[in-house]
Amino acid sequence: MKPALTEASSGIPRQVRTTLPVIEASGLGKTYGNPGAGFEALRDISFRIEEGQFACLVGPSGCGKSTLLQLLSGLMGSTTGEIVVAGEHLTGPSPDKIAVIFQDATLLPWKTALQNVEYPLEIKRIDRKERRERAEHYLRMVGLADFMNRLPHELSGGMRQRVSIARGLAQEPKLLLMDEPYGALDEQTRTKMGDELLRIWEETRLTILLITHSLTEALYLSDVVYAMAARPGRIIERVDINLPRPRNIDVIGSTEFGVLRNRLWHLLTDQGTDGGSGHL
Ligand SMILES: Nc1ncnc2c1ncn2[C@@H]1O[C@H](COP(=O)(O)OP(=O)(O)O)[C@@H](O)[C@H]1O
Ligand SMILES: [Mg+2]
């Protein structure tokens, strides 16, 4: 099985491909409630993520990260601005192009891991043989070869989240959006899952936008980090992360990593928002 965005499948040389935006947001704003009288959650958000990039959005809780993810996934309409995904305006959910992974695994409790991964493919009317092959392929990729027939309650929290990642990957989307996917997991499992995600990204070269409030996680994984501030939620800086790849856990102790972490820390805490509470 070929991953979604191989050079061979797109037919476009790598140096050209890397300049194509998979998603581009321009002037995005979101006001909850009545415009003018409601709560302005996001203001004038603009950015682009290129094919094959690993991007992170970081910011204190309440700065509008999940709101932004809902706009980018087409689950909620914006008040201002526009989103273009793979050259087309986004007007609603687009499961063929965008897969979304939330903090909680949201699996169907009566279906096995395999059936959960197959389910969206069934809805897309992908034939039985292909959906089985795809589901097995991606469950193996996330390390669940031996757990495909387990029900969600027979799996650990980390394993359930792996199933939901496999389910997202199996859709072979152009963009994988993840909203604090490891937020509910313990620190050790979280680090392991981050490593695993890096390996999967290196293998598939998928375009990923991960939302997190962990600076370490953001720096460890990303090519580019967008730092957000609250009230109203906005992007305050784009930081390119040129740490060498492939990365392993040792990079976290490097001087370069420390410098980047410091810079982001100051950017986020100097905003006088919830970031000052040490939540980062
Ligand atoms: N449906 C909603 N109605 C009104 N306000 C909301 C709604 N959802 C979120 N908010 C508010 O918008 C702000 C941003 O929330 P959210 O996007 O969840 O932030 P984050 O994910 O960064 O923690 C918060 O102040 C939150 O209370
Ligand atoms: Mg959130």
Side-chain angles (χ1 to χ4, degrees):
M1 169 102 21
K2 221 182 285 170
L5 295 171
T6 58
E7 196 162 321
S9 70
S10 72
I12 305 170
R14 175 167 294 271
Q15 58 275 31
V16 177
R17 284 200 301 120
T18 52
T19 63
L20 293 174
V22 165
I23 188 163
E24 189 159 18
S26 321
L28 280 187
K30 177 70 189 179
T31 297
Y32 286 112
N34 299 325
F39 175 77
E40 189 182 21
L42 294 174
R43 183 187 291 175
D44 198 20
I45 304 260
S46 299
F47 64 89
R48 54 189 272 164
I49 299 172
E50 284 159 17
E51 202 166 322
Q53 264 191 333
F54 198 130
C56 270
L57 274 168
V58 290
S61 68
C63 74
K65 300 184 296 297
S66 294
T67 300
L68 182 53
L69 179 116
Q70 282 182 279
L71 301 184
L72 299 177
S73 60
L75 292 169
M76 186 166 70
S78 66
T79 311
T80 63
E82 56 175 28
I83 301 164
V84 174
V85 178
E88 283 176 28
H89 283 275
L90 189 73
T91 52
S94 178
D96 282 338
K97 291 184 185 161
I98 302 174
V100 191
I101 291 161
F102 298 99
Q103 179 165 346
D104 297 310
T106 64
L107 303 178
L108 298 171
W110 62 88
K111 287 187 183 281
T112 63
L114 186 65
Q115 290 165 340
N116 265 286
V117 177
E118 278 191 67
Y119 186 57
L121 306 180
E122 205 176 314
I123 292 173
K124 283 194 205 170
R125 299 181 185 281
I126 290 172
D127 74 63
R128 186 183 296 267
K129 184 165 172 286
E130 182 175 349
R131 67 177 190 249
R132 176 59 51 95
E133 275 172 13
R134 269 209 227 175
E136 287 177 352
H137 173 75
Y138 289 104
L139 280 163
R140 276 195 296 273
M141 190 181 282
V142 299
L144 291 180
D146 297 332
F147 299 90
M148 295 191 191
N149 296 316
R150 298 273 183 101
L151 290 165
H153 79 267
E154 297 169 322
L155 299 170
S156 70
M159 285 169 149
R160 282 198 290 271
Q161 196 55 304
R162 286 194 178 105
V163 176
S164 89
I165 291 168
R167 184 178 55 186
L169 293 170
Q171 292 170 63
E172 302 192 337
K174 294 218 175 303
L175 176 69
L176 189 65
L177 290 175
M178 308 176 95
D179 191 0
E180 310 217 27
Y182 308 131
L185 305 176
D186 63 85
E187 192 67 30
Q188 231 178 329
T189 310
R190 191 180 174 129
T191 308
K192 211 171 142 209
M193 299 283 284
D195 254 351
E196 204 168 279
L197 185 60
L198 259 189
R199 182 180 53 69
I200 289 167
W201 174 74
E202 273 154 13
E203 203 170 311
T204 61
R205 282 295 158 166
L206 200 55
T207 308
I208 298 181
L209 176 60
L210 175 90
I211 290 177
T212 177
H213 62 251
S214 163
L215 295 188
T216 304
E217 190 167 273
L219 289 170
Y220 183 47
L221 299 172
S222 307
D223 295 315
V224 57
V225 173
Y226 289 95
M228 288 181 71
R231 279 177 287 230
R234 61 207 186 276
I235 289 176
I236 48 172
E237 186 123 341
R238 175 198 154 120
V239 182
D240 290 306
I241 313 299
N242 294 315
L243 298 166
R245 294 192 187 270
R247 293 179 194 159
N248 64 47
I249 215 86
D250 295 337
V251 77
I252 293 175
S254 71
T255 311
E256 278 169 292
F257 195 94
V259 169
L260 283 166
R261 197 176 189 289
N262 248 336
R263 181 169 158 214
L264 271 174
W265 172 267
H266 282 292
L267 267 172
L268 293 165
T269 52
D270 291 350
Q271 295 301 311
T273 63
D274 303 8
S277 66
H279 192 74
L280 296 163

